[in-house]
Amino acid sequence: MSNLKDQVGPYFGEFGGRFVPESLIAALDELEATYNTAKNDPSFASELAELHRTYTGRPSIITEAKRFATHAGDVRIFLKREDLNHTGSHKINNVLGQALLTKRMGKTRIIAETGAGQHGVASATAAALFGLECVVYMGEVDTERQALNVARMELLGATVVPVKTGSRTLKDAINEALRDWVANVDNTHYLLGTVAGPHPFPTMVRDFHSVIGNEARAQMLDEFGFLPDALAACVGGGSNAIGLFHAFLDDPNVEMYGFEAAGDGMNTPRHAATLNYGRPGVLHGARSYMLQDEDGQTLESHSISAGLDYPGVGPEHAWLKDLGRAKYWGISDAEAMDALRLLSRTEGIIPAIETSHALAGALKLGKTLKPGSSILVNLSGRGDKDMETAAKYFGLLDGAK
Amino acid sequence: MTSKTSSVLKSNKASGKGSLIGYFPVGYPNLESSIEAAVAMCKNGVDVLELGVPYSDPVMDGIVIQEATQMAIENGFKLKQLFGAVKAITEQVDTPVLVMTYWNPVLSYGVEKFAHDLAAAGGAGLITPDLIPDEAAEWLEVSDKYDLDRVFLATPTSSDERLVNACELSRGFIYAVSTMGITGARTEVDANARKVVSNVRRASGSQNTAVGIGISTAAQVAEVNEYSEGAIVGSAFVRAYQEGGVSALTQKVTELAAGLK
Ligand SMILES: Cc1ncc(COP(=O)(O)O)c(C=O)c1O
């Protein structure tokens, strides 16, 4: 068996590449060269590891969710607690890595797109820590459903620009960030928040998140003496999922499941299930699966979760899907929200709505696995930012329920 | 390979006149009107027409073109209508018609089928803002097969090596991006424009260069033609149409073409 782990961009099979205006090529080349130099420089790795230890709070722990697991058939469920990272999600892993690269390139300004606001908050945090100017593009719809995170970013000193074009969600925020980057590329780094976009982003962002799986694999062996039978993670662009999967790609007995947002449901037109219902095309600089109409126009996605509400997906996931190495299922808004409440009530952990798709997925998956199997879930983020959406959904604010 | 676009640019350069390349989005505000607008542009001084394909995620475009192309999509533009529009335009005027399109619509339609249908409709070729030569293997092949122009971009930050390659692979002209930024009128043409063109000249002795992005006045059109083979104007034409329909557009074209005399 060849090593899937060793695969790097620009291409993952027929996916990936660089479908961007020529104006960005020099900046992508510079980023790639800077990253390759850093990757081979032990001082970069130790600087990042030290930041993770003293700032992010790594390693993140593993919690066994015993009461939650009783709802998933006869399996054990383990949670990799990325929600306990500083800023509340896995997004900080990638942000700190890219912020160090920004310094190495001598750039003074970062821009970022954000859906749920977690990547924006992490970027604003790193900008504050390193003294960088920070502008975050966020779809207008998302500024409303994640208002708390807008306030956090502004408090941290970032400028949040509500994007009013197109579907006014994550896809359009990325368009606007790309336009900004084209115009300001000499002093600006585009700190892309997921494993999508043109090379080197999918490889580089994956590498920065691979700490999740590397830690978790060692922790499972050390603390429990076995590897999990299956991995579960939610998939928006795919960064937390690939971060967990990567260390296990060449473990043939570990199955991998990514859970996409199915919005109103898998058999409805309102979803964000790109790998299930999309077809290959080019969006935001890479060839991958995407939701598009017969003319190649990008379709709007729909999900209660701002962070999964994206009609594209990272090219490495497209490759893993076609290889059959990972499977991708859809989880509806309702299933995710039920799982959010269930984890809160059985374990005392309030997960992000994005993450709740992975939890709902684990509940479904558990019922299909052999008795006694184990599932390792990437608990990618905490749910504080989602309190308003959740309170409305469950009718907690007006006492309706 | 014969490129009508290249012949037009070269003979206009030789006669000392220079060229005006005009952009208009097909389907804006609707199919019929866009054909009428494009024909009017060609009849009133545009030497090469750049017919834009509306796309959901136009990352190289500023707000004027974004709004126009979004309206075209909302008003029901379908990709297959492009070919009929090209045919209708080329039946009425002799001007070379290049299609400016983001890559995904072409991929989705099928690169070979797109090239075949475009050639059959009388189209001259494609300008591809988000397709770099490195990713263009299939397009290079089928554009040769159907004898279509292919216009790649040269920018202020393109390396000499990339410019040599882009010049070699472009046919018709190479699109010199005047400034690091997206489409939209600017009060001055960036000093970078001269630099890009001189870099292109260094990379290739024979390739035509047309300068685009930010050009909106007759003086700018004249200035750019002093050192290149053509000025590309987009947002200024779309804005004129927005403000006063075909008559305002025609007036703007006439005004800018006067810069060439
Ligand atoms: C907590 C959390 N999990 C998951 C995601 C989805 O992103 P990705 O698929 O890149 O992990 C987000 C994005 O905002 C998030 O905030």
Side-chain angles (χ1 to χ4, degrees):
Chain A
M1 188 181 188
S2 68
N3 280 347
L4 297 177
K5 262 177 79 171
D6 298 337
Q7 186 71 29
V8 294
Y11 299 102
F12 296 91
E14 57 176 296
F15 303 107
R18 276 186 180 174
F19 294 85
V20 290
E22 174 70 20
S23 307
L24 292 177
I25 297 301
L28 293 169
D29 282 344
E30 181 192 15
L31 178 62
E32 185 179 10
T34 307
Y35 176 56
N36 285 338
T37 306
K39 207 161 54 170
N40 296 315
D41 175 357
S43 75
F44 180 82
S46 60
E47 192 178 1
L48 184 56
E50 186 60 9
L51 264 175
H52 279 330
R53 192 179 68 80
T54 61
Y55 191 74
T56 310
R58 302 209 72 92
S60 65
I61 58 174
I62 287 188
T63 301
E64 181 166 6
K66 289 186 177 149
R67 277 170 38 79
F68 181 76
T70 61
H71 298 263
D74 184 11
V75 294
R76 293 175 73 178
I77 292 182
F78 301 89
L79 309 175
K80 177 63 173 165
R81 299 291 305 280
E82 293 296 301
D83 62 319
L84 296 178
N85 294 339
H86 179 45
T87 71
S89 81
H90 70 290
K91 296 285 181 187
I92 191 85
N93 301 326
N94 164 49
V95 165
L96 290 177
Q98 287 197 51
L100 290 180
L101 294 178
T102 305
K103 300 271 282 187
R104 284 193 166 217
M105 291 185 287
K107 295 189 172 183
T108 55
R109 178 174 179 266
I110 56 173
I111 56 174
E113 83 295 343
T114 199
Q118 287 304 109
H119 176 60
V121 166
S123 297
T125 298
L129 180 65
F130 291 109
L132 301 166
E133 184 188 343
C134 178
V135 175
V136 180
Y137 291 94
M138 188 168 188
E140 196 177 36
V141 171
D142 296 337
T143 60
E144 286 156 17
R145 58 181 161 173
Q146 308 278 217
L148 180 67
N149 270 345
V150 175
R152 288 172 80 197
M153 288 182 266
E154 286 177 345
L155 189 61
L156 288 160
T159 304
V160 179
V161 180
V163 176
K164 299 179 163 79
T165 51
S167 57
R168 298 178 296 133
T169 57
L170 185 52
K171 158 180 101 69
D172 309 282
I174 296 177
N175 290 341
E176 222 35 56
L178 285 168
R179 292 185 187 111
D180 179 319
W181 203 28
V182 170
N184 298 296
V185 71
D186 29 308
N187 73 342
T188 299
H189 174 59
Y190 178 15
L191 211 163
L192 187 69
T194 190
V195 287
H199 178 69
F201 284 108
T203 306
M204 181 181 72
V205 176
R206 180 216 45 211
D207 290 350
F208 286 140
H209 280 303
S210 62
V211 65
I212 301 171
N214 289 337
E215 282 178 9
R217 193 173 181 283
Q219 287 165 319
M220 288 302 300
L221 290 173
D222 283 359
E223 295 173 31
F224 303 98
F226 56 84
L227 291 180
D229 296 298
L231 307 177
C234 65
V235 178
S239 67
N240 87 89
I242 212 79
L244 179 67
F245 293 177
H246 188 248
F248 299 90
L249 280 175
D250 299 307
D251 291 318
N253 296 326
V254 180
E255 292 183 8
M256 307 185 175
Y257 292 84
F259 295 97
E260 301 190 302
D264 287 354
M266 281 302 269
N267 294 311
T268 75
R270 291 172 54 85
H271 60 78
T274 308
L275 288 163
N276 279 282
Y277 290 139
R279 62 186 169 89
V282 163
L283 177 65
H284 295 145
R287 186 165 190 279
S288 185
Y289 281 78
M290 57 179 286
L291 299 178
Q292 55 184 320
D293 71 9
E294 72 283 1
D295 278 359
Q297 308 283 1
T298 312
L299 290 171
E300 282 187 26
S301 53
H302 297 277
S303 169
I304 193 172
S305 150
L308 305 184
D309 199 351
Y310 180 55
V313 68
E316 192 169 357
H317 286 292
W319 177 65
L320 293 174
K321 172 196 155 79
D322 280 8
L323 288 177
R325 179 64 187 98
K327 295 186 176 65
Y328 298 88
W329 294 2
I331 295 294
S332 70
D333 289 352
E335 290 170 317
M337 294 309 285
D338 283 349
L340 183 149
R341 185 168 55 187
L342 185 65
L343 191 78
S344 302
R345 297 197 171 169
T346 55
E347 301 291 341
I349 298 170
I350 302 178
I353 297 179
E354 290 75 23
T355 312
S356 301
H357 289 71
L359 292 161
L363 294 174
K364 270 192 177 170
L365 177 62
K367 291 164 195 151
T368 72
L369 296 180
K370 280 206 310 276
S373 299
S374 58
I375 303 173
L376 174 62
V377 180
N378 193 356
L379 203 79
S380 60
R382 67 179 189 225
D384 307 40
K385 68 183 178 64
D386 296 313
M387 277 305 98
E388 200 177 315
T389 306
K392 262 188 216 148
Y393 187 88
F394 293 118
L396 302 175
L397 289 178
D398 52 9
K401 256 188 197 167
Chain B
M1 299 280 157
T2 54
S3 163
K4 187 162 133 195
T5 309
S6 177
S7 310
V8 168
L9 297 182
K10 283 205 193 305
S11 78
N12 285 350
K13 184 77 183 175
S15 69
K17 176 182 159 285
S19 293
L20 175 62
I21 301 167
Y23 166 94
F24 202 82
V26 63
Y28 168 74
N30 56 58
L31 191 64
E32 285 311 307
S33 306
S34 66
I35 294 168
E36 186 197 353
V39 169
M41 289 170 78
C42 298
K43 286 186 172 164
N44 287 281
V46 158
D47 301 292
V48 174
L49 184 74
E50 188 185 322
L51 193 64
V53 174
Y55 175 54
S56 51
D57 298 275
V59 294
M60 268 298 278
D61 286 309
I63 194 71
V64 172
I65 292 176
Q66 278 180 50
E67 282 176 0
T69 52
Q70 194 157 338
M71 180 188 277
I73 293 171
E74 278 160 18
N75 290 347
F77 172 77
K78 291 282 170 244
L79 192 56
K80 58 179 184 296
Q81 298 171 330
L82 166 72
F83 306 99
V86 171
K87 186 156 188 280
I89 296 164
T90 52
E91 279 170 359
Q92 294 176 67
V93 293
D94 219 20
T95 316
V97 177
L98 287 169
V99 168
M100 168 4 250
T101 180
Y102 291 90
W103 196 238
N104 200 52
V106 181
L107 264 186
S108 170
Y109 195 84
V111 180
E112 164 122 32
K113 182 159 177 268
F114 197 102
H116 171 272
D117 291 1
L118 181 62
L126 293 184
I127 301 174
T128 51
D130 63 348
L131 183 72
I132 56 174
D134 322 42
E135 302 284 3
E138 189 180 4
W139 168 232
L140 294 177
E141 201 181 305
V142 303
S143 52
D144 281 347
K145 179 167 169 190
Y146 293 100
D147 203 2
L148 290 169
D149 289 333
R150 49 185 186 231
V151 176
F152 292 110
L153 275 56
T155 78
T157 55
S158 301
S159 67
D160 288 350
E161 189 190 343
R162 294 189 63 79
L163 287 180
V164 169
N165 188 44
C167 284
E168 223 160 75
L169 297 175
S170 288
R171 187 158 51 230
F173 63 91
I174 188 159
Y175 191 131
V177 175
S178 68
T179 183
M180 294 304 288
I182 55 178
T183 59
R186 289 173 179 72
T187 46
E188 277 177 33
V189 178
D190 201 304
N192 268 323
R194 269 178 206 275
K195 192 187 112 190
V196 181
V197 175
S198 78
N199 291 348
V200 169
R201 297 280 187 236
R202 202 154 19 91
S204 159
S206 57
Q207 188 55 270
N208 306 310
T209 322
V211 176
I213 302 214
I215 300 175
S216 63
T217 68
Q220 290 169 338
V221 169
E223 181 194 329
V224 156
N225 269 287
E226 280 166 21
Y227 58 86
S228 74
E229 276 76 33
I232 306 169
V233 177
S235 299
F237 290 149
V238 175
R239 164 136 307 149
Y241 188 92
Q242 250 168 18
E243 285 168 359
V246 180
S247 68
L249 173 66
T250 304
Q251 200 182 334
K252 188 77 188 173
V253 171
T254 310
E255 178 193 321
L256 296 203
L260 295 176
K261 283 173 193 147

